[in-house]
Amino acid sequence: MANEPEHDQSVAEILVTARSRRVIRCPWPSCVADDYLFRDEAEASVHLKSHQDALLLGPWNGPIKCSWPNCSSETMFKHKYLLKTHLANIHVAPLRCTIAGCSYSEPFGKQHDLDRHVSAIHGGSRYLCTVESCDSSTIGFARKDKLVKHMREEHDNVRCTLNHCDYILPDGEQESHLQKFHSTYECSLGACERGLPSYFSREAVRLHLISVHKIYRETASRIVNRSKDKTIRPNVVRMRMRKQFVECQGCWEHLHAAN
């Protein structure tokens, strides 16, 4: 059986470089996989999720501390969902800064903490190139127009043809983009009903309602949950809102230009 880790780590719990290959070992000393070396964090996370589920199984007896091997947190978690978030972001699938050159390697307990770190240390959000082999896929750009210019000049690319999507992607990756970013949700509010198909994902249509139609976040979430056929219809929106939703300017201008 492998020795117990000597210090606190995250998803890998023991991260070593052997022959220029990053290998990951489970930190649980009694685990049947304690001698297994995972190929990457994604594979390790699948396994470590089983340990997370085991810790959360059964009735809640909080507040309690995290019992993950060698966890340095002194937090007393009052609710199960708080412990679950901690386990996921710190131990199972570490929420780390991905900005190239960042010297801070510890995981963040909350997405808000990571966002604040990026804003304070790296000067705000970065727009990343979608070509994984490109250096700019990790370094990114501070402004969206710089990313657009980079994609136009450095890569053979095309713009997504679906409505409400301005994603620029390398030619040949259209199918991958559709599978990753689109689903079967549609918006039929106002001019959107007569616009081209959008094939929103669930999260994308929620953000569309918030940013374009100016619907409150909580209301938008409830509307999406009630859309059984995955189409956002005016009657459902009127049931949830006291005021009229804002028209989609893009669809409205497209329709009037066509006429």
Side-chain angles (χ1 to χ4, degrees), residues 190-219:
C192 288
E193 183 177 18
R194 299 170 59 190
L196 296 172
S198 298
Y199 296 116
F200 288 112
S201 67
R202 182 184 180 88
E203 178 63 10
V205 75
R206 189 184 73 87
L207 294 176
H208 171 75
L209 295 178
I210 296 169
S211 61
V212 175
H213 294 293
K214 307 303 179 184
I215 297 175
Y216 291 123
R217 293 177 181 273
E218 295 78 5
T219 305

Side-chain angles (χ1 to χ4, degrees), residues 9 25 46 49 87 102 120 141 152 159 176 219 237 242:
Q9 294 268 340
R25 182 176 288 128
V46 174
K49 180 66 164 57
L87 291 172
C102 181
F141 301 89
R152 184 173 60 248
R159 183 182 296 274
S176 175
T219 305
V237 174
R242 295 182 179 180

Side-chain angles (χ1 to χ4, degrees), residues 20 38 80 89 135 143 151 179 195 205 220 238:
S20 300
F38 297 99
K80 181 182 287 190
N89 293 342
D135 290 341
R143 289 161 42 189
M151 294 294 293
Q179 293 179 4
V205 75
R238 284 193 291 266

Side-chain angles (χ1 to χ4, degrees), residues 25-63:
R25 182 176 288 128
C26 178
W28 290 84
S30 59
C31 179
V32 294
D34 62 355
D35 287 324
Y36 182 79
L37 299 180
F38 297 99
R39 291 170 296 180
D40 51 37
E41 287 192 348
E43 184 184 34
S45 294
V46 174
H47 168 76
L48 294 175
K49 180 66 164 57
S50 64
H51 290 296
Q52 174 186 342
D53 293 341
L55 288 178
L56 299 173
L57 188 65
W60 177 250
N61 296 314

